[in-house]
PDB file of all heavy atoms in Angstrom:
ATOM      1  N   LYS D  32      64.509 -70.443  85.303  1.00  0.00           N
ATOM      2  CA  LYS D  32      64.233 -68.998  85.224  1.00  0.00           C
ATOM      3  C   LYS D  32      64.849 -68.280  86.423  1.00  0.00           C
ATOM      4  O   LYS D  32      65.521 -67.243  86.273  1.00  0.00           O
ATOM      5  CB  LYS D  32      62.733 -68.769  85.174  1.00  0.00           C
ATOM      6  CG  LYS D  32      62.312 -67.313  85.120  1.00  0.00           C
ATOM      7  CD  LYS D  32      60.798 -67.210  85.075  1.00  0.00           C
ATOM      8  CE  LYS D  32      60.344 -65.758  85.112  1.00  0.00           C
ATOM      9  NZ  LYS D  32      58.851 -65.671  85.099  1.00  0.00           N
ATOM     10  N   ASN D  33      64.614 -68.797  87.622  1.00  0.00           N
ATOM     11  CA  ASN D  33      65.126 -68.142  88.839  1.00  0.00           C
ATOM     12  C   ASN D  33      66.655 -68.147  88.863  1.00  0.00           C
ATOM     13  O   ASN D  33      67.297 -67.185  89.343  1.00  0.00           O
ATOM     14  CB  ASN D  33      64.577 -68.837  90.085  1.00  0.00           C
ATOM     15  CG  ASN D  33      63.082 -68.601  90.251  1.00  0.00           C
ATOM     16  OD1 ASN D  33      62.537 -67.600  89.777  1.00  0.00           O
ATOM     17  ND2 ASN D  33      62.409 -69.513  90.903  1.00  0.00           N
ATOM     18  N   LYS D  34      67.250 -69.218  88.351  1.00  0.00           N
ATOM     19  CA  LYS D  34      68.704 -69.338  88.317  1.00  0.00           C
ATOM     20  C   LYS D  34      69.290 -68.254  87.396  1.00  0.00           C
ATOM     21  O   LYS D  34      70.268 -67.581  87.731  1.00  0.00           O
ATOM     22  CB  LYS D  34      69.095 -70.727  87.836  1.00  0.00           C
ATOM     23  CG  LYS D  34      70.609 -70.956  87.765  1.00  0.00           C
ATOM     24  CD  LYS D  34      70.891 -72.379  87.265  1.00  0.00           C
ATOM     25  CE  LYS D  34      72.388 -72.629  87.215  1.00  0.00           C
ATOM     26  NZ  LYS D  34      72.703 -74.013  86.708  1.00  0.00           N
ATOM     27  N   ILE D  35      68.667 -68.104  86.253  1.00  0.00           N
ATOM     28  CA  ILE D  35      69.127 -67.118  85.256  1.00  0.00           C
ATOM     29  C   ILE D  35      68.968 -65.692  85.802  1.00  0.00           C
ATOM     30  O   ILE D  35      69.871 -64.867  85.677  1.00  0.00           O
ATOM     31  CB  ILE D  35      68.340 -67.281  83.936  1.00  0.00           C
ATOM     32  CG1 ILE D  35      68.752 -68.611  83.260  1.00  0.00           C
ATOM     33  CG2 ILE D  35      68.576 -66.109  83.003  1.00  0.00           C
ATOM     34  CD1 ILE D  35      67.853 -69.000  82.087  1.00  0.00           C
ATOM     35  N   LEU D  36      67.820 -65.424  86.407  1.00  0.00           N
ATOM     36  CA  LEU D  36      67.571 -64.090  86.934  1.00  0.00           C
ATOM     37  C   LEU D  36      68.538 -63.742  88.073  1.00  0.00           C
ATOM     38  O   LEU D  36      68.976 -62.597  88.207  1.00  0.00           O
ATOM     39  CB  LEU D  36      66.136 -63.970  87.421  1.00  0.00           C
ATOM     40  CG  LEU D  36      65.047 -64.032  86.327  1.00  0.00           C
ATOM     41  CD1 LEU D  36      63.655 -63.976  86.950  1.00  0.00           C
ATOM     42  CD2 LEU D  36      65.204 -62.884  85.342  1.00  0.00           C
ATOM     43  N   LYS D  37      68.855 -64.742  88.889  1.00  0.00           N
ATOM     44  CA  LYS D  37      69.802 -64.552  90.008  1.00  0.00           C
ATOM     45  C   LYS D  37      71.188 -64.189  89.478  1.00  0.00           C
ATOM     46  O   LYS D  37      71.839 -63.251  89.945  1.00  0.00           O
ATOM     47  CB  LYS D  37      69.853 -65.818  90.859  1.00  0.00           C
ATOM     48  CG  LYS D  37      70.741 -65.704  92.092  1.00  0.00           C
ATOM     49  CD  LYS D  37      70.625 -66.953  92.945  1.00  0.00           C
ATOM     50  CE  LYS D  37      71.453 -66.852  94.217  1.00  0.00           C
ATOM     51  NZ  LYS D  37      72.910 -66.833  93.903  1.00  0.00           N
ATOM     52  N   ILE D  38      71.629 -64.935  88.451  1.00  0.00           N
ATOM     53  CA  ILE D  38      72.950 -64.685  87.872  1.00  0.00           C
ATOM     54  C   ILE D  38      73.004 -63.298  87.199  1.00  0.00           C
ATOM     55  O   ILE D  38      73.963 -62.558  87.358  1.00  0.00           O
ATOM     56  CB  ILE D  38      73.325 -65.798  86.853  1.00  0.00           C
ATOM     57  CG1 ILE D  38      73.555 -67.115  87.596  1.00  0.00           C
ATOM     58  CG2 ILE D  38      74.561 -65.399  86.042  1.00  0.00           C
ATOM     59  CD1 ILE D  38      73.736 -68.306  86.676  1.00  0.00           C
ATOM     60  N   SER D  39      71.938 -62.970  86.461  1.00  0.00           N
ATOM     61  CA  SER D  39      71.916 -61.687  85.763  1.00  0.00           C
ATOM     62  C   SER D  39      71.977 -60.508  86.742  1.00  0.00           C
ATOM     63  O   SER D  39      72.590 -59.489  86.474  1.00  0.00           O
ATOM     64  CB  SER D  39      70.672 -61.578  84.886  1.00  0.00           C
ATOM     65  OG  SER D  39      69.495 -61.568  85.669  1.00  0.00           O
ATOM     66  N   LYS D  40      71.352 -60.703  87.898  1.00  0.00           N
ATOM     67  CA  LYS D  40      71.377 -59.655  88.916  1.00  0.00           C
ATOM     68  C   LYS D  40      72.760 -59.554  89.542  1.00  0.00           C
ATOM     69  O   LYS D  40      73.262 -58.441  89.782  1.00  0.00           O
ATOM     70  CB  LYS D  40      70.328 -59.965  89.995  1.00  0.00           C
ATOM     71  CG  LYS D  40      70.218 -58.868  91.042  1.00  0.00           C
ATOM     72  CD  LYS D  40      69.100 -59.189  92.053  1.00  0.00           C
ATOM     73  CE  LYS D  40      68.985 -58.092  93.095  1.00  0.00           C
ATOM     74  NZ  LYS D  40      67.900 -58.384  94.079  1.00  0.00           N
ATOM     75  N   GLU D  41      73.385 -60.707  89.796  1.00  0.00           N
ATOM     76  CA  GLU D  41      74.700 -60.725  90.435  1.00  0.00           C
ATOM     77  C   GLU D  41      75.769 -60.059  89.575  1.00  0.00           C
ATOM     78  O   GLU D  41      76.656 -59.401  90.075  1.00  0.00           O
ATOM     79  CB  GLU D  41      75.099 -62.154  90.765  1.00  0.00           C
ATOM     80  CG  GLU D  41      74.310 -62.759  91.916  1.00  0.00           C
ATOM     81  CD  GLU D  41      74.610 -64.240  92.128  1.00  0.00           C
ATOM     82  OE1 GLU D  41      75.300 -64.838  91.244  1.00  0.00           O
ATOM     83  OE2 GLU D  41      74.153 -64.792  93.147  1.00  0.00           O
ATOM     84  N   ILE D  42      75.679 -60.254  88.270  1.00  0.00           N
ATOM     85  CA  ILE D  42      76.712 -59.698  87.379  1.00  0.00           C
ATOM     86  C   ILE D  42      76.343 -58.318  86.870  1.00  0.00           C
ATOM     87  O   ILE D  42      77.091 -57.697  86.107  1.00  0.00           O
ATOM     88  CB  ILE D  42      77.005 -60.639  86.192  1.00  0.00           C
ATOM     89  CG1 ILE D  42      75.780 -60.744  85.259  1.00  0.00           C
ATOM     90  CG2 ILE D  42      77.451 -62.001  86.681  1.00  0.00           C
ATOM     91  CD1 ILE D  42      76.054 -61.534  83.999  1.00  0.00           C
ATOM     92  N   GLY D  43      75.151 -57.827  87.275  1.00  0.00           N
ATOM     93  CA  GLY D  43      74.760 -56.476  86.881  1.00  0.00           C
ATOM     94  C   GLY D  43      74.391 -56.355  85.412  1.00  0.00           C
ATOM     95  O   GLY D  43      74.714 -55.345  84.769  1.00  0.00           O
TER      96      GLY D  43
END
Side-chain angles (χ1 to χ4, degrees):
K32 179 180 176 181
N33 291 334
K34 181 180 181 181
I35 291 169
L36 292 177
K37 183 175 182 292
I38 291 172
S39 65
K40 184 177 180 180
E41 288 173 350
I42 66 174

